[in-house]
Amino acid sequence: MKLIIHGGFFSESSTSNETKIAKQDALEQIVKDSYDYLKTHSALETVVFAVSLLEDNELFNAGIGSQIQSDGKIRMSAAIMDGVTQKMSGVINIEEVKNPVQVAQILMQYDDRVLGGSGATNFARKNGFQSFSTEIPQRRAEHEEKVKSLGLGTVGCVAFDKNGKIAAATSTGGKGFEVPGRISDSATVAGNYANSFCGVSLTGVGEDIMSNATATKIVTRVTDGFSLKEAFAKTFNELKPYDGFAGAIAIDSAGNIYHQDSHPAMVFASFDGDTFEVFG
């Protein structure tokens, strides 16, 4: 059993040493709590659990603490993918929901598994998700002062369970100040992808990630016989012509964990029951 999570890039919003320590501590607690959960749950259930914890922590740009768009509203996106069934479900630009990833989880049961805008929000309401403001004072202050962050905030998890099954989940609060209707990579196969060979979750600039089909490329290359290191190297090299900004976490079917970013520094933590690693 193994688990790796990410919380976007350290360059997103505050970059003080105090914030760095707070994020390290938060990621350590979340990855270890999620590993305990993984002991009695599937990989798919665990990635939802882990990402929900990340969404609930205002240090990260997903769920509570999401960025505010140019019209003053918060719209979030999230997706999950089951490496066994190859099913992916997600929500795009959903509003006033505490845990978008949990809405994505319910959508897994439906034929229409990716919903956007008011359709996603209405689906959440019909399924018992009450209206919840995810805005925090810091984000409102940034918006009102027009202090545009680099827009690199996303959270994600890849899990490898006791039965060797893999799943991935990704959630984002957007890049901040974007045009309403903008689609991020998080609820696409470019930013969140898994099969029986590998699972990947991305963070970074969504447009760069989608242009490169990053998650899909990594998983496909591992499926075709590349090692994780080789698949990451080739895929990240393909970001270089346009200086693509991305960070990725992954686990393969042998239980190997890997992570890489194109620019410093992705915020991540991993745990396998013995060895713990957190970004430095």
Side-chain angles (χ1 to χ4, degrees):
M1 297 188 300
K2 298 188 178 184
L3 195 72
I4 184 167
I5 60 176
H6 71 72
F9 275 80
F10 186 54
S11 52
E12 195 273 330
S13 201
S14 174
T15 55
S16 68
N17 190 58
E18 181 181 359
T19 299
K20 177 180 178 180
I21 293 170
K23 288 189 174 184
Q24 288 173 330
D25 290 345
L27 288 172
E28 178 177 3
Q29 187 65 54
I30 290 170
V31 79
K32 290 183 175 179
D33 286 348
S34 299
Y35 184 84
D36 286 341
Y37 186 87
L38 181 60
K39 292 176 182 177
T40 55
H41 294 82
S42 70
L44 186 64
E45 292 169 327
T46 301
V47 294
V48 174
F49 178 83
V51 169
S52 294
L53 293 180
L54 289 160
E55 288 175 335
D56 289 345
N57 192 311
E58 65 180 38
L59 285 169
F60 307 107
N61 176 23
I64 295 172
S66 291
Q67 294 277 3
I68 300 172
Q69 297 190 349
S70 60
D71 63 350
K73 293 185 178 181
I74 292 173
R75 298 177 180 89
M76 302 163 287
S77 298
I80 61 174
M81 188 160 183
D82 185 347
V84 178
T85 64
Q86 289 276 263
K87 285 185 177 180
M88 180 176 179
S89 59
V91 291
I92 298 171
N93 289 331
I94 195 169
E95 296 182 45
E96 296 191 325
V97 170
K98 184 181 180 185
N99 295 110
V101 74
Q102 294 177 17
V103 183
Q105 182 182 32
I106 292 177
L107 274 167
M108 186 69 80
Q109 307 165 27
Y110 291 79
D111 292 332
D112 300 328
R113 293 194 299 273
V114 180
L115 298 180
S118 60
T121 304
N122 291 339
F123 176 85
R125 299 288 177 262
K126 290 178 181 177
N127 282 274
F129 290 84
Q130 297 181 351
S131 179
F132 183 94
S133 174
T134 56
E135 181 182 314
I136 60 172
Q138 175 191 338
R139 298 303 190 202
R140 177 54 61 182
E142 290 171 350
H143 180 77
E144 290 177 352
E145 295 172 10
K146 297 184 179 180
V147 178
K148 187 173 182 180
S149 79
L150 290 176
L152 308 174
T154 302
V155 303
C157 176
V158 181
F160 177 78
D161 67 23
K162 59 186 176 184
N163 296 313
K165 296 178 179 179
I166 299 169
T170 308
S171 181
T172 186
K175 68 178 183 178
F177 300 95
E178 61 265 62
V179 174
R182 179 251 183 188
I183 304 298
S184 79
D185 66 289
S186 298
T188 75
V189 294
N192 188 87
Y193 198 69
N195 65 10
S196 60
F197 292 89
C198 182
V200 177
S201 173
L202 267 291
T203 183
V205 176
E207 286 75 7
D208 292 352
I209 291 167
M210 287 190 284
S211 293
N212 190 44
T214 309
T216 305
K217 282 184 176 179
I218 292 171
V219 173
T220 300
R221 284 166 173 160
V222 172
T223 302
D224 288 345
F226 282 57
S227 69
L228 271 180
K229 183 177 181 180
E230 292 168 339
F232 268 73
K234 185 171 180 61
T235 305
F236 272 75
N237 276 338
E238 291 165 350
L239 287 164
K240 290 180 179 179
Y242 53 94
D243 195 29
F245 207 127
I249 59 173
I251 302 178
D252 67 16
S253 57
N256 297 307
I257 297 175
Y258 202 79
H259 59 84
Q260 185 173 332
D261 46 35
S262 62
H263 296 65
M266 181 175 60
V267 172
F268 74 92
S270 64
F271 190 56
D272 64 4
D274 295 312
T275 303
F276 168 74
E277 183 183 6
V278 68
F279 80 100

